[in-house]
Amino acid sequence: MNINFNTGKKVERIEEEEINEVEEVEDDDEQAVKKKQQKKHNAELKKQLIRFMGIVAVLLILFFIVMLLLSLTTKRNRSFTDVEKIMKEAGEKYMDAHSEYLPEEGDVIDIPATNLINEEYMKDFQELITDENITCNSGTSYVTVENSAGKYVYSPYLDCGDSYVTTELYKVVASDDNIVTSGYGLYAINGAYVFKGDNVNNYVKLGDYLWQIVRINNDNTITLVFAEGIRDLQSSWDDRFNTDKGYEIGINSYQNSRVREKLETIFKGKYQRERDSREITVISDTNKAKLAAFDMCVGKRSHEDTSKNNETECIEKMQNQYVGLLTASEYMNASLDVNCTNTLSESCQNYNYLKSGINGGDKYKFCLATGDSSNTYDVYGVTEDGNIEVKHAINSCYIRPVVHLKENVYYKSGKGTYEKPYKIK
């Protein structure tokens, strides 16, 4: 009898395969269950996250509602600058309702803060400034309204005693701490104040550009000179035909000069640059309203003239000017060198902040308003090195406009340095 051992092995293999198949099915079931459980777990986490985000959103909404209610019910202690802005806006609204009080051109009126408060154009100072240690006086606070060439300029004056008082720029500049009797700085001279020497803190930011204070005048206006050298701000002093010379060499009369024409173009508004035709504004309309008219000294002087106080130049004046140039006297008077004795002294460049090159920048020659009294065609100017020179009027030079700030221009910030110039309101 033959026994087939292979048959038994075959049966064993079949049983093993069936067992493996069963185990595979069981594994698949376990994986399916795990996936189902994981999916359920993820869904639960998602629900919890949504619930959490909803709670956070509700809390944030409640927080903002509470803060809004607090802001509506709590008095805010405003800064003095904020209060001045409120006063200015109140003044504008007041004059809209009382247009019959608007000043005529060139005139100025004051609106007492009591009027603005009583007629409810603004709140009482105690409601605006809640600090119990600060008391602002509505009787001595006011808004000035000035008609400047048909435009009304509103300037608030806030009096809060020792805590704060709106202060004119000239008072800040001419404070006792700034007056010197030797060295660089601001000198008191015959009721006026004049800057002399190098490295003086006399920078003022007017619009986009830096200017420098030359002097504070007896009427408290401030003479400023343009401190920056803009390449396109240049012109021939004058290029007209001169009968004394018989050709176009220029005439040294400032009143009818080309440089005066260029200055007036600059002052009127936008000035077109030659290199790219882009328009720039040296003095904006807003800043024009802060300028005072002045009498410009345009008299001629000799080479040997020793005066430094405009005595010679002011023999002849142009009245009611809004823009001009420095005189030879003004340039000489800014020097502290004792050897700056006459118009052409080379020592006048020493210890003199008016030398070109703002804060050590590029140097350039610039025009002065003064003509040479010895002829009809030569004028004075300042070289790149800072010397006063005589040249024919037809020559070109940089233009450094001169303007006068009004007495009631108020100080905002700054120390007069190049890095922190005086800023005005």
Side-chain angles (χ1 to χ4, degrees):
M1 181 176 64
N2 294 326
I3 299 174
N4 190 347
F5 294 100
N6 291 331
T7 301
K9 293 179 179 180
K10 191 174 189 179
V11 172
E12 289 177 358
R13 284 198 300 272
I14 293 173
E15 290 176 351
E16 289 176 359
E17 291 175 359
E18 290 176 350
I19 291 171
N20 289 337
E21 289 177 0
V22 171
E23 289 177 350
E24 289 176 1
V25 171
E26 290 177 351
D27 290 341
D28 290 342
D29 290 341
E30 288 179 5
Q31 291 178 3
V33 170
K34 288 181 178 179
K35 287 182 180 180
K36 188 174 181 181
Q37 290 175 341
Q38 184 64 40
K39 188 174 182 181
K40 184 178 180 181
H41 179 69
N42 291 341
E44 186 64 28
L45 287 176
K46 187 175 181 180
K47 289 180 181 179
Q48 292 178 2
L49 181 60
I50 292 173
R51 283 197 296 269
F52 176 76
M53 292 177 65
I55 293 171
V56 172
V58 171
L59 290 175
L60 285 173
I61 292 171
L62 290 174
F63 173 77
F64 285 119
I65 291 174
V66 170
M67 294 301 295
L68 178 62
L69 291 174
L70 286 174
S71 66
L72 293 175
T73 57
T74 304
K75 293 181 180 179
R76 181 166 68 92
N77 190 35
R78 294 173 174 84
S79 68
F80 297 117
T81 301
D82 289 338
V83 175
E84 288 174 332
K85 184 177 180 181
I86 290 171
M87 291 175 63
K88 179 180 178 182
E89 293 173 350
E92 292 171 348
K93 293 176 182 177
Y94 181 91
M95 294 311 297
D96 284 341
H98 301 282
S99 58
E100 67 273 16
Y101 299 144
L102 284 169
E104 299 293 330
E105 184 171 344
D107 290 340
V108 179
I109 65 168
D110 294 333
I111 311 172
T114 50
N115 290 23
L116 301 176
I117 295 169
N118 292 338
E119 296 192 30
E120 298 183 350
Y121 289 99
M122 60 177 283
K123 294 180 180 179
D124 190 84
F125 288 132
Q126 279 62 45
E127 294 186 59
L128 298 174
I129 299 179
T130 58
D131 189 332
E132 296 180 355
N133 297 318
I134 299 175
T135 300
C136 299
N137 192 332
S138 59
T140 54
S141 299
Y142 53 87
V143 176
T144 296
V145 186
E146 180 181 4
N147 186 332
S148 178
K151 295 182 180 180
Y152 298 104
V153 182
Y154 293 80
S155 303
Y157 180 88
L158 177 61
D159 181 5
C160 298
D162 294 335
S163 299
Y164 177 83
V165 176
T166 305
T167 307
E168 294 88 347
L169 177 63
Y170 81 87
K171 290 182 180 178
V172 174
V173 177
S175 64
D176 292 340
D177 293 339
N178 290 337
I179 307 301
V180 300
T181 55
S182 63
Y184 306 152
L186 185 65
Y187 286 76
I189 302 175
N190 298 326
Y193 299 90
V194 181
F195 276 101
K196 293 174 174 285
D198 286 342
N199 304 317
V200 290
N201 296 330
N202 63 347
Y203 286 103
V204 175
K205 189 77 170 179
L206 191 64
D208 295 328
Y209 300 105
L210 283 175
W211 299 66
Q212 285 178 289
I213 299 171
V214 177
R215 60 188 284 130
I216 298 174
N217 302 295
N218 297 78
D219 60 358
N220 297 325
T221 59
I222 302 175
T223 301
L224 299 180
V225 62
F226 197 61
E228 304 194 53
I230 298 179
R231 185 169 60 184
D232 290 302
L233 293 185
Q234 55 182 310
S235 170
S236 167
W237 204 97
D238 191 69
D239 60 359
R240 289 177 172 84
F241 179 85
N242 188 296
T243 55
D244 291 344
K245 297 296 288 184
Y247 55 91
E248 294 175 347
I249 194 175
I251 301 172
N252 61 4
S253 173
Y254 177 83
Q255 295 91 320
N256 302 307
S257 63
R258 298 298 188 195
V259 73
R260 182 193 172 195
E261 292 175 359
K262 195 66 168 278
L263 270 172
E264 290 180 348
T265 299
I266 294 169
F267 185 77
K268 284 179 181 178
K270 294 182 177 179
Y271 172 74
Q272 192 173 55
R273 300 197 311 188
E274 295 178 1
R275 64 180 182 275
D276 58 8
S277 298
R278 187 169 74 86
E279 291 184 333
I280 58 176
T281 301
V282 176
I283 307 172
S284 68
D285 289 340
T286 300
N287 288 323
K288 285 179 188 176
K290 299 171 183 174
L291 303 182
F294 62 96
D295 293 343
M296 183 177 172
C297 300
V298 295
K300 301 176 184 180
R301 64 183 286 151
S302 70
H303 302 181
E304 296 79 20
D305 196 325
T306 60
S307 65
K308 299 181 184 180
N309 59 359
N310 268 340
E311 178 182 352
T312 301
E313 287 90 338
C314 287
I315 291 175
E316 189 173 358
K317 295 181 179 179
M318 291 182 65
Q319 296 182 333
N320 296 318
Q321 300 300 297
Y322 280 92
V323 63
L325 295 175
L326 291 171
T327 65
S329 280
E330 288 170 326
Y331 184 81
M332 295 169 64
N333 198 34
S335 172
L336 279 175
D337 196 317
V338 295
N339 296 308
C340 177
T341 56
N342 61 55
T343 310
L344 297 183
S345 295
E346 293 187 359
S347 296
C348 293
Q349 66 175 296
N350 295 334
Y351 321 117
N352 191 334
Y353 70 90
L354 284 174
K355 288 176 62 174
S356 67
I358 181 171
N359 198 40
D362 293 338
K363 296 180 179 180
Y364 50 90
K365 58 184 179 180
F366 60 89
C367 314
L368 295 174
T370 310
D372 183 354
S373 61
S374 66
N375 59 54
T376 61
Y377 46 83
D378 282 341
V379 295
Y380 296 105
V382 178
T383 69
E384 291 92 338
D385 294 327
N387 294 318
I388 296 180
E389 67 173 350
V390 178
K391 60 181 181 179
H392 297 329
I394 197 170
N395 288 311
S396 180
C397 52
Y398 277 97
I399 298 175
R400 298 183 68 180
V402 170
V403 297
H404 285 209
L405 283 180
K406 291 177 179 176
E407 175 185 8
N408 65 344
V409 170
Y410 294 110
Y411 167 81
K412 181 179 181 180
S413 63
K415 298 181 179 180
T417 63
Y418 174 77
E419 294 78 13
K420 294 182 179 180
Y422 292 120
K423 294 183 180 180
I424 59 179
K425 295 179 180 178

